[in-house]
Amino acid sequence: MSTRAASSKGVYLLVVPGYADWEPAHAVAELRRHGHYRVEVVGLTADPVSSMGGVTVLPTKTLAAVDPADVAVFILPGGDRWEQQAIEPELAAFLHMLDRRGVPIAAICAATTALARAGLLRGRRHTSNGLSYLRQQVPEYADAAAYVDAPAVRDRGLITATGLGDVEFAREIMAELNVLSASDRDRWTALFRGGRVPDGARQP
């Protein structure tokens, strides 16, 4: 298994009311455990945020206070709110700034609609909760030619995943940041997707 020195940058996890707490869990845990990244919890405000599962977290930073030079990857979990309201202009502007700087952005489940509304999917391979879902949620979406029916897709710093692809989502983020070797990432994915550790094997 590969080892990695502690990174000076942080993994930034956006939390909004009702965010799907389980969807980024594998990614955040493995990036901290194997990538030795610091995790920053980002809120649109400094107020406590309750997840879909009722877990209340206190942001360590507000979006306005984030230094883009400190961001190793910016993760957007899913949640019903992405289907119920437009993406905040300040969040869309921030994501575009990260993209221009070449900072990876990762969105899963309904958060992929936020990227679509912000115009960040254009010209890059991506996935979501189905092509019809993306078209229904984002009427202006017009990039079906780049849609891929897969649990998770990575293209030029943009990682997207279906709501059922949390394990693959984590794998693609780890690949983007070069955490673990390719063979260890494949083994990790097989273990968590298979649901059992072979006799005598050690979990990665």
Side-chain angles (χ1 to χ4, degrees):
M1 184 175 297
S2 63
T3 58
R4 181 188 177 98
S7 172
S8 61
K9 293 188 176 184
V11 168
Y12 280 70
L13 174 67
L14 181 70
V15 293
V16 295
Y19 77 95
D21 41 23
W22 68 95
E23 291 178 344
H26 280 301
V28 171
E30 301 303 341
L31 292 173
R32 185 171 183 270
R33 187 162 70 114
H34 292 303
H36 307 292
Y37 282 96
R38 179 182 82 257
V39 176
E40 298 284 357
V41 180
V42 182
L44 298 176
T45 71
D47 296 334
V49 177
S50 292
S51 73
M52 190 180 292
V55 177
T56 300
V57 297
L58 186 66
T60 57
K61 289 185 183 292
T62 63
L63 184 67
V66 175
D67 176 4
D70 187 53
V71 182
V73 62
F74 194 84
I75 302 174
L76 295 87
D80 295 340
R81 64 99 63 187
W82 301 118
E83 299 174 352
Q84 297 166 352
Q85 63 189 82
I87 182 173
E88 288 79 2
E90 61 270 27
L91 176 57
F94 180 79
L95 294 173
H96 275 282
M97 178 181 61
L98 291 182
D99 192 48
R100 288 193 301 271
R101 289 170 173 251
V103 178
I105 298 168
I108 183 170
C109 195
T112 58
T113 67
L115 299 192
R117 291 189 179 99
L120 286 164
L121 300 181
R122 293 172 190 154
R124 284 189 280 198
R125 296 168 66 250
H126 59 274
T127 194
S128 183
N129 293 333
L131 183 56
S132 60
Y133 167 86
L134 203 51
R135 284 171 163 161
Q136 179 182 11
Q137 294 297 324
V138 189
E140 65 272 25
Y141 171 76
D143 209 20
Y147 187 87
V148 181
D149 186 12
V153 174
R154 179 166 59 102
D155 188 357
R156 290 170 288 163
L158 189 75
I159 300 121
T160 51
T162 74
L164 300 178
D166 57 325
V167 171
E168 293 82 2
F169 185 60
R171 179 195 64 206
E172 294 304 321
I173 297 174
M174 286 192 283
E176 183 69 26
L177 298 184
N178 197 29
V179 172
L180 298 180
S181 66
S183 60
D184 280 339
R185 288 193 298 268
D186 288 345
R187 178 170 172 265
W188 178 88
T189 303
L191 284 171
F192 279 93
R193 270 291 166 245
R196 53 189 277 189
V197 179
D199 291 341
R202 184 170 63 88
Q203 179 181 310

